[in-house]
Amino acid sequence: MRVLLLGADGFIGRRVADRLLADDELQVTVLGRRDSADIRFDLTAGSPGALARFLDAVVPQVVINCAGATYGSSRTLIRANTLAVATVCEAIRRSREPARLVHVGSAAEYGPVPSGVPIPETAEPRPVGPYGVSKLAGTELVISSGLDAAVLRVFDVVGPGSPAASLFGRLAEGLRRALEQDERQVRMPDLSGYRDFVDVRDVARAIGAAAVSAATGVINIGSGHAVRARDAAQLLVRAAGFEGTVSEDARQVLLPGQSAADPGQRTPEARPVPVPEPVQWRQADVRTARDRLGWRALVPLEESLGDIWLETACRV
């Protein structure tokens, strides 16, 4: 099967690329902005017509879109998560042999939901920040495109390769620094919310399953369990052997689209925007993934966080 992979340099995309390239039955072509890509193309700047010509040259049977932005200004997020998706959808429609599209969405599209209740795919999306809004717009473009397409609405991804700006990327780096400098405290944003943490390797398996399935529409990808972020943080603390304390600043609410290094940090082109209320509960209803993809999460959260620490501890 011929596969065109977009976004192979990202946190999820790297794992997807590793998995696809290890399969001898797949012919994988990587399209992206970096020199390492087989085809150099910027989805945020290129035209649908130009991308369609590349599609006609590769003739992929499946396009997997892991491209996008998690952090940055509203303008950056809209270009990467909405306009780029419009380009992909239009290019596939224009191509001579339209491919199946597997697009990576985000649980941030749901926004606030009642606590204690798993979120089904039928829940009304109410995103609370620019990241969630931009991702929801991308999902709506895919669903309304008329293509053979599935959107995997991925919950809170953890595991090896976690970005330094992510919640546990920041915590791991803080723990490493504290241990090196014999400090007794690591500061973090508010950790009172509950999240559905899913390992990036499990997400890559889900994407691979969706690529060869006939499933369409939105499909939740998560562990199916809600864990308080504070409790998850303690798993990472124990993996590091840190005996100090993790202090939380309740005034800092870390949301997708903000850097964990500084929740108020903005890129130069960004304008100040109100920080919305935190989303206190996030748990995936994963029955659709189980029934339509034959997929479920396998990697325990403790293993995911332990692998983050191993990477951080080995970093020079």
Side-chain angles (χ1 to χ4, degrees):
M1 184 172 71
R2 294 180 302 278
V3 179
L4 181 65
L5 176 61
L6 317 177
D9 292 319
F11 176 33
I12 295 174
R14 286 194 299 271
R15 288 291 174 181
V16 174
D18 291 344
R19 188 171 187 85
L20 296 178
L21 291 169
D23 190 336
D24 294 334
E25 296 184 358
L26 300 180
Q27 299 176 35
V28 182
T29 302
V30 173
L31 181 146
R33 291 179 294 183
R34 299 191 180 183
D35 292 337
S36 57
D38 299 310
I39 300 173
R40 291 284 303 277
F41 190 85
D42 185 347
L43 292 172
T44 66
S47 70
L51 181 56
R53 288 191 288 274
F54 284 125
L55 290 172
D56 287 339
V58 175
V59 197
Q61 292 158 289
V62 178
V63 174
I64 297 175
N65 184 26
C66 298
T70 307
Y71 309 106
S73 68
S74 297
R75 180 182 301 175
T76 297
L77 295 169
I78 291 170
R79 288 180 63 191
N81 298 332
T82 306
L83 297 181
V85 177
T87 296
V88 171
C89 291
E90 181 61 24
I92 293 175
R93 278 197 297 263
R94 294 187 189 185
S95 63
R96 288 195 295 268
E97 298 183 29
R100 173 172 170 78
L101 173 60
V102 176
H103 174 70
V104 177
S106 170
E109 299 169 33
Y110 286 120
V113 296
S115 294
V117 180
I119 308 171
E121 290 87 353
T122 54
E124 184 69 25
R126 293 184 297 151
V128 295
Y131 172 73
V133 169
S134 67
K135 290 296 290 185
L136 177 60
T139 290
E140 294 294 339
L141 286 168
V142 173
I143 297 304
S144 64
S145 66
L147 300 172
D148 173 13
V151 175
L152 303 190
R153 197 167 266 166
V154 177
F155 280 62
D156 295 70
V157 188
V158 295
S162 290
S166 68
L167 184 65
F168 294 119
R170 171 184 174 175
L171 177 57
E173 181 59 30
L175 291 168
R176 184 186 68 83
R177 187 169 55 249
L179 289 168
E180 287 180 350
Q181 300 176 5
D182 197 26
E183 297 175 350
R184 302 295 300 171
Q185 184 181 70
V186 176
R187 296 183 60 191
M188 291 293 290
D190 177 64
L191 299 173
S192 64
Y194 286 80
R195 294 292 181 267
D196 186 327
F197 298 108
V198 58
D199 189 89
V200 65
R201 292 160 289 194
D202 281 333
V203 173
R205 283 196 308 106
I207 292 170
V212 298
S213 79
T216 58
V218 174
I219 303 173
N220 286 340
I221 300 298
S223 70
H225 303 285
V227 178
R228 191 188 289 269
R230 185 177 300 130
D231 297 334
Q234 285 304 312
L235 293 176
L236 184 51
V237 168
R238 284 202 294 270
F242 180 65
E243 297 181 353
T245 61
V246 175
S247 64
E248 302 174 35
D249 186 346
R251 296 170 299 177
Q252 292 186 358
V253 179
L254 187 63
L255 297 165
Q258 297 173 323
S259 169
D262 177 1
Q265 181 179 351
R266 299 187 303 274
T267 53
E269 72 268 29
R271 297 178 181 177
V273 294
V275 177
E277 292 294 318
V279 176
Q280 284 296 315
W281 179 268
R282 189 173 289 157
Q283 177 187 0
D285 183 331
V286 294
R287 289 175 294 180
T288 302
R290 181 195 62 200
D291 296 343
R292 301 182 67 189
L293 301 182
W295 175 93
R296 64 183 179 89
L298 299 176
V299 182
L301 179 57
E302 187 171 5
E303 180 179 337
S304 296
L305 297 173
D307 288 344
I308 293 175
W309 173 247
L310 287 176
E311 276 193 341
T312 304
C314 293
R315 193 176 299 142
V316 178

